Each structure stands twice: as structure tokens, then as C-alpha cells.
mmCIF file of all heavy atoms in Angstrom:
data_model
loop_
_atom_site.group_PDB
_atom_site.id
_atom_site.type_symbol
_atom_site.label_atom_id
_atom_site.label_comp_id
_atom_site.label_asym_id
_atom_site.label_seq_id
_atom_site.Cartn_x
_atom_site.Cartn_y
_atom_site.Cartn_z
ATOM 1 N N LEU K 17 -4.978 2.352 3.213
ATOM 2 C CA LEU K 17 -3.988 1.370 2.795
ATOM 3 C C LEU K 17 -3.766 1.558 1.298
ATOM 4 O O LEU K 17 -4.620 1.177 0.500
ATOM 5 C CB LEU K 17 -4.450 -0.057 3.103
ATOM 6 C CG LEU K 17 -3.429 -1.146 2.764
ATOM 7 C CD1 LEU K 17 -3.348 -2.179 3.880
ATOM 8 C CD2 LEU K 17 -3.774 -1.848 1.457
ATOM 9 N N PRO K 18 -2.665 2.180 0.891
ATOM 10 C CA PRO K 18 -2.397 2.361 -0.534
ATOM 11 C C PRO K 18 -1.770 1.099 -1.120
ATOM 12 O O PRO K 18 -1.014 0.398 -0.449
ATOM 13 C CB PRO K 18 -1.383 3.523 -0.566
ATOM 14 C CG PRO K 18 -1.245 3.989 0.859
ATOM 15 C CD PRO K 18 -1.657 2.854 1.723
ATOM 16 N N LEU K 19 -2.049 0.855 -2.394
ATOM 17 C CA LEU K 19 -1.544 -0.333 -3.069
ATOM 18 C C LEU K 19 -0.417 -0.004 -4.040
ATOM 19 O O LEU K 19 -0.126 -0.781 -4.942
ATOM 20 C CB LEU K 19 -2.692 -1.050 -3.792
ATOM 21 C CG LEU K 19 -3.760 -1.620 -2.851
ATOM 22 C CD1 LEU K 19 -4.940 -2.160 -3.627
ATOM 23 C CD2 LEU K 19 -3.168 -2.693 -1.943
ATOM 24 N N SER K 20 0.215 1.153 -3.839
ATOM 25 C CA SER K 20 1.414 1.483 -4.606
ATOM 26 C C SER K 20 2.350 2.297 -3.738
ATOM 27 O O SER K 20 1.909 3.049 -2.853
ATOM 28 C CB SER K 20 1.073 2.260 -5.880
ATOM 29 O OG SER K 20 0.972 3.645 -5.632
ATOM 30 N N LEU K 21 3.645 2.160 -4.003
ATOM 31 C CA LEU K 21 4.628 2.917 -3.236
ATOM 32 C C LEU K 21 4.588 4.401 -3.573
ATOM 33 O O LEU K 21 4.962 5.241 -2.752
ATOM 34 C CB LEU K 21 6.029 2.350 -3.471
ATOM 35 C CG LEU K 21 6.244 0.910 -2.990
ATOM 36 C CD1 LEU K 21 7.699 0.504 -3.186
ATOM 37 C CD2 LEU K 21 5.834 0.746 -1.530
ATOM 38 N N HIS K 22 4.128 4.755 -4.774
ATOM 39 C CA HIS K 22 3.954 6.170 -5.109
ATOM 40 C C HIS K 22 2.945 6.812 -4.151
ATOM 41 O O HIS K 22 3.177 7.907 -3.622
ATOM 42 C CB HIS K 22 3.457 6.336 -6.549
ATOM 43 C CG HIS K 22 4.473 6.004 -7.595
ATOM 44 N ND1 HIS K 22 5.667 6.679 -7.719
ATOM 45 C CD2 HIS K 22 4.474 5.066 -8.578
ATOM 46 C CE1 HIS K 22 6.356 6.183 -8.737
ATOM 47 N NE2 HIS K 22 5.661 5.194 -9.261
ATOM 48 N N ALA K 23 1.818 6.136 -3.929
ATOM 49 C CA ALA K 23 0.793 6.671 -3.035
ATOM 50 C C ALA K 23 1.245 6.630 -1.578
ATOM 51 O O ALA K 23 0.924 7.519 -0.796
ATOM 52 C CB ALA K 23 -0.516 5.904 -3.219
ATOM 53 N N VAL K 24 1.981 5.578 -1.201
ATOM 54 C CA VAL K 24 2.543 5.524 0.155
ATOM 55 C C VAL K 24 3.394 6.764 0.418
ATOM 56 O O VAL K 24 3.271 7.424 1.454
ATOM 57 C CB VAL K 24 3.387 4.250 0.351
ATOM 58 C CG1 VAL K 24 4.181 4.320 1.661
ATOM 59 C CG2 VAL K 24 2.490 3.010 0.352
ATOM 60 N N HIS K 25 4.248 7.099 -0.546
ATOM 61 C CA HIS K 25 5.109 8.283 -0.405
ATOM 62 C C HIS K 25 4.272 9.555 -0.288
ATOM 63 O O HIS K 25 4.578 10.435 0.528
ATOM 64 C CB HIS K 25 6.057 8.375 -1.594
ATOM 65 C CG HIS K 25 6.946 9.577 -1.563
ATOM 66 N ND1 HIS K 25 8.001 9.698 -0.686
ATOM 67 C CD2 HIS K 25 6.927 10.723 -2.296
ATOM 68 C CE1 HIS K 25 8.598 10.863 -0.872
ATOM 69 N NE2 HIS K 25 7.964 11.506 -1.840
ATOM 70 N N ALA K 26 3.204 9.656 -1.085
ATOM 71 C CA ALA K 26 2.364 10.855 -1.062
ATOM 72 C C ALA K 26 1.661 11.041 0.277
ATOM 73 O O ALA K 26 1.326 12.168 0.663
ATOM 74 C CB ALA K 26 1.338 10.790 -2.185
ATOM 75 N N LEU K 27 1.438 9.949 1.019
ATOM 76 C CA LEU K 27 0.673 10.010 2.271
ATOM 77 C C LEU K 27 1.541 9.890 3.522
ATOM 78 O O LEU K 27 1.023 9.963 4.641
ATOM 79 C CB LEU K 27 -0.377 8.892 2.281
ATOM 80 C CG LEU K 27 -1.475 9.006 1.223
ATOM 81 C CD1 LEU K 27 -2.330 7.749 1.207
ATOM 82 C CD2 LEU K 27 -2.345 10.234 1.486
ATOM 83 N N THR K 28 2.839 9.746 3.348
ATOM 84 C CA THR K 28 3.714 9.460 4.490
ATOM 85 C C THR K 28 3.647 10.538 5.565
ATOM 86 O O THR K 28 3.641 10.233 6.764
ATOM 87 C CB THR K 28 5.165 9.288 4.012
ATOM 88 O OG1 THR K 28 5.229 8.152 3.152
ATOM 89 C CG2 THR K 28 6.108 9.085 5.184
ATOM 90 N N ASP K 29 3.590 11.798 5.178
ATOM 91 C CA ASP K 29 3.605 12.886 6.158
ATOM 92 C C ASP K 29 2.235 13.491 6.410
ATOM 93 O O ASP K 29 2.131 14.589 6.967
ATOM 94 C CB ASP K 29 4.569 13.986 5.689
ATOM 95 C CG ASP K 29 6.014 13.498 5.655
ATOM 96 O OD1 ASP K 29 6.385 12.714 6.540
ATOM 97 O OD2 ASP K 29 6.743 13.884 4.722
ATOM 98 N N ALA K 30 1.158 12.802 6.007
ATOM 99 C CA ALA K 30 -0.192 13.321 6.225
ATOM 100 C C ALA K 30 -0.469 13.407 7.728
ATOM 101 O O ALA K 30 -0.386 12.398 8.438
ATOM 102 C CB ALA K 30 -1.207 12.417 5.544
ATOM 103 N N PRO K 31 -0.814 14.586 8.245
ATOM 104 C CA PRO K 31 -0.852 14.784 9.700
ATOM 105 C C PRO K 31 -1.937 14.025 10.443
ATOM 106 O O PRO K 31 -1.708 13.524 11.541
ATOM 107 C CB PRO K 31 -1.050 16.301 9.836
ATOM 108 C CG PRO K 31 -1.652 16.732 8.529
ATOM 109 C CD PRO K 31 -1.093 15.821 7.503
ATOM 110 N N GLN K 32 -3.148 13.920 9.857
ATOM 111 C CA GLN K 32 -4.267 13.275 10.572
ATOM 112 C C GLN K 32 -4.519 11.851 10.110
ATOM 113 O O GLN K 32 -5.304 11.126 10.729
ATOM 114 C CB GLN K 32 -5.558 14.075 10.365
ATOM 115 C CG GLN K 32 -5.519 15.510 10.854
ATOM 116 C CD GLN K 32 -6.862 16.170 10.660
ATOM 117 O OE1 GLN K 32 -7.798 15.988 11.452
ATOM 118 N NE2 GLN K 32 -6.998 16.930 9.588
ATOM 119 N N LEU K 33 -3.891 11.456 9.043
ATOM 120 C CA LEU K 33 -4.210 10.190 8.390
ATOM 121 C C LEU K 33 -3.439 9.031 9.015
ATOM 122 O O LEU K 33 -2.251 9.154 9.299
ATOM 123 C CB LEU K 33 -3.893 10.313 6.898
ATOM 124 C CG LEU K 33 -4.277 9.165 5.977
ATOM 125 C CD1 LEU K 33 -4.829 9.720 4.668
ATOM 126 C CD2 LEU K 33 -3.056 8.300 5.686
ATOM 127 N N THR K 34 -4.144 7.914 9.223
ATOM 128 C CA THR K 34 -3.486 6.681 9.651
ATOM 129 C C THR K 34 -3.112 5.885 8.417
ATOM 130 O O THR K 34 -3.984 5.467 7.655
ATOM 131 C CB THR K 34 -4.408 5.852 10.559
ATOM 132 O OG1 THR K 34 -4.746 6.616 11.727
ATOM 133 C CG2 THR K 34 -3.717 4.557 10.987
ATOM 134 N N LEU K 35 -1.816 5.703 8.211
ATOM 135 C CA LEU K 35 -1.320 5.040 7.001
ATOM 136 C C LEU K 35 -0.970 3.591 7.305
ATOM 137 O O LEU K 35 -0.177 3.297 8.194
ATOM 138 C CB LEU K 35 -0.088 5.785 6.486
ATOM 139 C CG LEU K 35 0.610 5.205 5.251
ATOM 140 C CD1 LEU K 35 -0.324 5.218 4.043
ATOM 141 C CD2 LEU K 35 1.889 5.988 4.953
ATOM 142 N N LEU K 36 -1.578 2.676 6.550
ATOM 143 C CA LEU K 36 -1.244 1.262 6.624
ATOM 144 C C LEU K 36 -0.488 0.889 5.350
ATOM 145 O O LEU K 36 -0.876 1.295 4.256
ATOM 146 C CB LEU K 36 -2.502 0.411 6.739
ATOM 147 C CG LEU K 36 -3.455 0.730 7.895
ATOM 148 C CD1 LEU K 36 -4.677 -0.183 7.833
ATOM 149 C CD2 LEU K 36 -2.745 0.598 9.229
ATOM 150 N N VAL K 37 0.562 0.103 5.480
ATOM 151 C CA VAL K 37 1.371 -0.271 4.322
ATOM 152 C C VAL K 37 1.331 -1.791 4.164
ATOM 153 O O VAL K 37 1.751 -2.519 5.067
ATOM 154 C CB VAL K 37 2.821 0.213 4.471
ATOM 155 C CG1 VAL K 37 3.642 -0.170 3.242
ATOM 156 C CG2 VAL K 37 2.864 1.727 4.685
ATOM 157 N N PRO K 38 0.841 -2.291 3.027
ATOM 158 C CA PRO K 38 0.762 -3.734 2.819
ATOM 159 C C PRO K 38 2.120 -4.307 2.438
ATOM 160 O O PRO K 38 3.043 -3.589 2.073
ATOM 161 C CB PRO K 38 -0.222 -3.854 1.648
ATOM 162 C CG PRO K 38 0.023 -2.611 0.857
ATOM 163 C CD PRO K 38 0.329 -1.534 1.866
ATOM 164 N N GLY K 39 2.232 -5.616 2.525
ATOM 165 C CA GLY K 39 3.394 -6.279 1.952
ATOM 166 C C GLY K 39 3.210 -6.408 0.451
ATOM 167 O O GLY K 39 2.205 -5.987 -0.114
ATOM 168 N N GLY K 40 4.192 -6.999 -0.200
ATOM 169 C CA GLY K 40 4.058 -7.249 -1.626
ATOM 170 C C GLY K 40 5.300 -6.900 -2.409
ATOM 171 O O GLY K 40 6.262 -6.343 -1.873
ATOM 172 N N LYS K 41 5.251 -7.224 -3.687
ATOM 173 C CA LYS K 41 6.363 -6.980 -4.594
ATOM 174 C C LYS K 41 6.003 -5.817 -5.513
ATOM 175 O O LYS K 41 5.027 -5.889 -6.256
ATOM 176 C CB LYS K 41 6.644 -8.232 -5.430
ATOM 177 C CG LYS K 41 7.797 -8.075 -6.412
ATOM 178 C CD LYS K 41 8.008 -9.358 -7.199
ATOM 179 C CE LYS K 41 9.143 -9.200 -8.199
ATOM 180 N NZ LYS K 41 9.346 -10.450 -8.985
ATOM 181 N N PRO K 42 6.777 -4.719 -5.499
ATOM 182 C CA PRO K 42 6.462 -3.586 -6.370
ATOM 183 C C PRO K 42 6.802 -3.887 -7.825
ATOM 184 O O PRO K 42 7.876 -4.411 -8.117
ATOM 185 C CB PRO K 42 7.340 -2.452 -5.833
ATOM 186 C CG PRO K 42 7.947 -2.949 -4.565
ATOM 187 C CD PRO K 42 7.912 -4.435 -4.617
ATOM 188 N N ARG K 43 5.863 -3.570 -8.724
ATOM 189 C CA ARG K 43 6.142 -3.664 -10.151
ATOM 190 C C ARG K 43 7.040 -2.505 -10.571
ATOM 191 O O ARG K 43 6.849 -1.378 -10.127
ATOM 192 C CB ARG K 43 4.846 -3.602 -10.961
ATOM 193 C CG ARG K 43 3.996 -4.839 -10.879
ATOM 194 C CD ARG K 43 2.601 -4.596 -11.410
ATOM 195 N NE ARG K 43 2.609 -4.007 -12.739
ATOM 196 C CZ ARG K 43 1.566 -3.362 -13.265
ATOM 197 N NH1 ARG K 43 0.461 -3.203 -12.545
ATOM 198 N NH2 ARG K 43 1.632 -2.877 -14.473
ATOM 199 N N SER K 44 7.991 -2.780 -11.419
ATOM 200 C CA SER K 44 8.938 -1.770 -11.867
ATOM 201 C C SER K 44 8.206 -0.579 -12.488
ATOM 202 O O SER K 44 7.292 -0.749 -13.288
ATOM 203 C CB SER K 44 9.899 -2.373 -12.895
ATOM 204 O OG SER K 44 10.787 -1.404 -13.389
ATOM 205 N N GLY K 45 8.630 0.632 -12.116
ATOM 206 C CA GLY K 45 8.040 1.844 -12.666
ATOM 207 C C GLY K 45 6.715 2.173 -12.036
ATOM 208 O O GLY K 45 6.531 3.229 -11.414
ATOM 209 N N GLU K 46 5.765 1.262 -12.140
ATOM 210 C CA GLU K 46 4.426 1.457 -11.589
ATOM 211 C C GLU K 46 4.461 1.501 -10.065
ATOM 212 O O GLU K 46 3.674 2.216 -9.437
ATOM 213 C CB GLU K 46 3.525 0.312 -12.052
ATOM 214 C CG GLU K 46 2.061 0.553 -11.873
ATOM 215 C CD GLU K 46 1.486 1.428 -12.962
ATOM 216 O OE1 GLU K 46 2.102 1.558 -14.021
ATOM 217 O OE2 GLU K 46 0.408 1.988 -12.727
ATOM 218 N N LEU K 47 5.341 0.686 -9.469
ATOM 219 C CA LEU K 47 5.464 0.528 -8.018
ATOM 220 C C LEU K 47 4.163 0.064 -7.380
ATOM 221 O O LEU K 47 3.922 0.306 -6.194
ATOM 222 C CB LEU K 47 5.975 1.819 -7.356
ATOM 223 C CG LEU K 47 7.360 2.293 -7.814
ATOM 224 C CD1 LEU K 47 7.811 3.476 -6.963
ATOM 225 C CD2 LEU K 47 8.390 1.168 -7.761
ATOM 226 N N ALA K 48 3.293 -0.588 -8.183
ATOM 227 C CA ALA K 48 2.102 -1.214 -7.639
ATOM 228 C C ALA K 48 2.510 -2.474 -6.888
ATOM 229 O O ALA K 48 3.368 -3.229 -7.342
ATOM 230 C CB ALA K 48 1.134 -1.568 -8.764
ATOM 231 N N LEU K 49 1.891 -2.710 -5.743
ATOM 232 C CA LEU K 49 2.214 -3.863 -4.912
ATOM 233 C C LEU K 49 1.334 -5.041 -5.302
ATOM 234 O O LEU K 49 0.104 -4.930 -5.352
ATOM 235 C CB LEU K 49 2.026 -3.510 -3.439
ATOM 236 C CG LEU K 49 3.013 -2.454 -2.940
ATOM 237 C CD1 LEU K 49 2.528 -1.826 -1.647
ATOM 238 C CD2 LEU K 49 4.394 -3.052 -2.762
ATOM 239 N N THR K 50 1.964 -6.177 -5.607
ATOM 240 C CA THR K 50 1.231 -7.362 -6.016
ATOM 241 C C THR K 50 1.829 -8.595 -5.351
ATOM 242 O O THR K 50 2.856 -8.520 -4.675
ATOM 243 C CB THR K 50 1.285 -7.546 -7.548
ATOM 244 O OG1 THR K 50 2.652 -7.714 -7.959
ATOM 245 C CG2 THR K 50 0.685 -6.359 -8.276
ATOM 246 N N GLY K 51 1.164 -9.727 -5.548
ATOM 247 C CA GLY K 51 1.677 -10.990 -5.039
ATOM 248 C C GLY K 51 0.987 -11.453 -3.771
ATOM 249 O O GLY K 51 0.094 -10.785 -3.234
ATOM 250 N N PRO K 52 1.399 -12.613 -3.237
ATOM 251 C CA PRO K 52 0.707 -13.225 -2.093
ATOM 252 C C PRO K 52 0.738 -12.377 -0.830
ATOM 253 O O PRO K 52 -0.212 -12.417 -0.045
ATOM 254 C CB PRO K 52 1.452 -14.552 -1.899
ATOM 255 C CG PRO K 52 2.735 -14.427 -2.653
ATOM 256 C CD PRO K 52 2.459 -13.491 -3.782
ATOM 257 N N LEU K 53 1.803 -11.614 -0.609
ATOM 258 C CA LEU K 53 1.847 -10.772 0.590
ATOM 259 C C LEU K 53 0.812 -9.653 0.518
ATOM 260 O O LEU K 53 0.181 -9.304 1.526
ATOM 261 C CB LEU K 53 3.245 -10.194 0.781
ATOM 262 C CG LEU K 53 4.351 -11.190 1.113
ATOM 263 C CD1 LEU K 53 5.702 -10.484 1.201
ATOM 264 C CD2 LEU K 53 4.049 -11.923 2.417
ATOM 265 N N THR K 54 0.627 -9.090 -0.671
ATOM 266 C CA THR K 54 -0.402 -8.057 -0.849
ATOM 267 C C THR K 54 -1.789 -8.649 -0.664
ATOM 268 O O THR K 54 -2.640 -8.069 0.024
ATOM 269 C CB THR K 54 -0.284 -7.426 -2.247
ATOM 270 O OG1 THR K 54 1.057 -7.020 -2.481
ATOM 271 C CG2 THR K 54 -1.202 -6.222 -2.378
ATOM 272 N N LEU K 55 -2.022 -9.814 -1.249
ATOM 273 C CA LEU K 55 -3.326 -10.460 -1.118
ATOM 274 C C LEU K 55 -3.625 -10.821 0.332
ATOM 275 O O LEU K 55 -4.761 -10.671 0.803
ATOM 276 C CB LEU K 55 -3.375 -11.712 -1.999
ATOM 277 C CG LEU K 55 -3.198 -11.477 -3.509
ATOM 278 C CD1 LEU K 55 -3.212 -12.808 -4.253
ATOM 279 C CD2 LEU K 55 -4.275 -10.553 -4.044
ATOM 280 N N ALA K 56 -2.602 -11.266 1.054
ATOM 281 C CA ALA K 56 -2.790 -11.608 2.468
ATOM 282 C C ALA K 56 -3.104 -10.362 3.289
ATOM 283 O O ALA K 56 -3.939 -10.404 4.207
ATOM 284 C CB ALA K 56 -1.541 -12.299 3.007
ATOM 285 N N SER K 57 -2.454 -9.254 2.985
ATOM 286 C CA SER K 57 -2.730 -7.997 3.698
ATOM 287 C C SER K 57 -4.181 -7.578 3.501
ATOM 288 O O SER K 57 -4.856 -7.149 4.447
ATOM 289 C CB SER K 57 -1.801 -6.889 3.196
ATOM 290 O OG SER K 57 -0.452 -7.185 3.467
ATOM 291 N N LEU K 58 -4.673 -7.682 2.276
ATOM 292 C CA LEU K 58 -6.055 -7.299 1.987
ATOM 293 C C LEU K 58 -7.047 -8.259 2.648
ATOM 294 O O LEU K 58 -8.081 -7.832 3.172
ATOM 295 C CB LEU K 58 -6.278 -7.263 0.478
ATOM 296 C CG LEU K 58 -5.586 -6.113 -0.250
ATOM 297 C CD1 LEU K 58 -5.599 -6.349 -1.755
ATOM 298 C CD2 LEU K 58 -6.239 -4.787 0.095
ATOM 299 N N ALA K 59 -6.731 -9.543 2.654
ATOM 300 C CA ALA K 59 -7.638 -10.534 3.244
ATOM 301 C C ALA K 59 -7.779 -10.350 4.751
ATOM 302 O O ALA K 59 -8.800 -10.726 5.336
ATOM 303 C CB ALA K 59 -7.143 -11.942 2.930
ATOM 304 N N ALA K 60 -6.759 -9.758 5.383
ATOM 305 C CA ALA K 60 -6.765 -9.593 6.840
ATOM 306 C C ALA K 60 -7.533 -8.360 7.301
ATOM 307 O O ALA K 60 -7.719 -8.172 8.509
ATOM 308 C CB ALA K 60 -5.323 -9.499 7.346
ATOM 309 N N LEU K 61 -8.003 -7.528 6.379
ATOM 310 C CA LEU K 61 -8.626 -6.263 6.736
ATOM 311 C C LEU K 61 -9.995 -6.120 6.090
ATOM 312 O O LEU K 61 -10.312 -6.801 5.119
ATOM 313 C CB LEU K 61 -7.722 -5.097 6.297
ATOM 314 C CG LEU K 61 -6.332 -5.061 6.946
ATOM 315 C CD1 LEU K 61 -5.433 -4.067 6.213
ATOM 316 C CD2 LEU K 61 -6.439 -4.709 8.419
ATOM 317 N N ARG K 62 -10.796 -5.199 6.632
ATOM 318 C CA ARG K 62 -12.098 -4.865 6.075
ATOM 319 C C ARG K 62 -12.194 -3.339 5.977
ATOM 320 O O ARG K 62 -11.949 -2.636 6.945
ATOM 321 C CB ARG K 62 -13.239 -5.420 6.939
ATOM 322 C CG ARG K 62 -13.292 -6.946 6.970
ATOM 323 C CD ARG K 62 -13.624 -7.512 5.592
ATOM 324 N NE ARG K 62 -13.665 -8.977 5.580
ATOM 325 C CZ ARG K 62 -12.625 -9.756 5.283
ATOM 326 N NH1 ARG K 62 -11.450 -9.207 4.995
ATOM 327 N NH2 ARG K 62 -12.754 -11.051 5.269
ATOM 328 N N PHE K 63 -12.564 -2.859 4.793
ATOM 329 C CA PHE K 63 -12.558 -1.428 4.518
ATOM 330 C C PHE K 63 -13.974 -0.915 4.265
ATOM 331 O O PHE K 63 -14.847 -1.643 3.794
ATOM 332 C CB PHE K 63 -11.699 -1.138 3.282
ATOM 333 C CG PHE K 63 -10.275 -1.580 3.423
ATOM 334 C CD1 PHE K 63 -9.881 -2.835 2.971
ATOM 335 C CD2 PHE K 63 -9.331 -0.766 4.020
ATOM 336 C CE1 PHE K 63 -8.566 -3.255 3.096
ATOM 337 C CE2 PHE K 63 -8.017 -1.173 4.163
ATOM 338 C CZ PHE K 63 -7.631 -2.424 3.698
#
């Protein structure tokens, strides 16, 4: 589960990898995902 859209893009076509995408609001430029949707996504999972 990447916490930035840059990393999501880097892993989109990974052949063996299971990609999970959280909710959230991307910060400009950084494209880091933040906010209540991101926090809720993390709270629902265990890594």
C-alpha cells in the first residue's frame, strides 16, 4: 500500500505484486496522500 501517487504509478504494472491504493488527498507536487480517508485506510489494515 503506497502512500503517494508517485509510488502508486511506479508499482501499477508490477507483475507479481498486489497493489492496494488508499484514499486521501494528494499534496501538490509531493503527491503524498493525507487526510481522514488515508488514516481510515491505514486503520482498516495490518501490515
